[in-house]
Amino acid sequence: SEIEIPFFQKTHGFLRFHFSRKYRVVAVAEHLGLTAKSGHYVAYTKVGENWWCHNDERDPFVNSSLNLDSDISMILYQLSDS
C-alpha cells in the first residue's frame, strides 16, 4: 500500500503546497510481548510482492500479505517510483 505526503515550500513567509510524493511500506518491526522490557521483536521486509519474516525463533517465511497480531513498533517507507 502507498501513502501520499504533501510537500510544502515556504515562500515569502507563507507555506504553499508544492507537490505530493507517494511512499510505499517496505519494512515493519513488530513487538510480541506484554511490555517493552519483555517480549520479542520481529521484522518483516517486502521483496517484490512478498513479505519475508525475520525472526530468530523460527525459519523465515514468505507470505503474499502482511497480517500483524501485535503492536507495530516501526514502519519504514520508500519513495515510490510512480
Side-chain angles (χ1 to χ4, degrees):
S1 63
E2 290 186 335
I3 63 167
E4 191 168 332
I5 299 175
F7 177 74
F8 293 89
Q9 186 174 26
K10 189 173 183 179
T11 309
H12 304 293
F14 297 98
L15 283 178
R16 296 184 181 182
F17 177 76
H18 193 59
F19 58 87
S20 293
R21 290 189 169 167
K22 290 185 180 180
Y23 294 83
R24 65 179 177 272
V25 178
V26 293
V28 175
E30 176 185 32
H31 181 259
L32 307 171
L34 298 177
T35 70
K37 293 184 178 185
S38 67
H40 185 70
Y41 286 91
V42 178
Y44 300 89
T45 56
K46 191 167 187 183
V47 179
E49 294 300 315
N50 294 315
W51 286 94
W52 286 77
C53 177
H54 305 277
N55 181 349
D56 60 359
E57 291 184 346
R58 62 177 186 242
D59 293 333
F61 66 89
V62 178
N63 197 343
S64 60
S65 63
L66 184 62
N67 297 314
L68 300 175
D69 296 329
S70 299
D71 295 327
I72 296 174
S73 299
M74 182 174 25
I75 302 173
L76 299 175
Y77 295 92
Q78 182 179 43
L79 184 63
S80 182
D81 294 333
S82 57

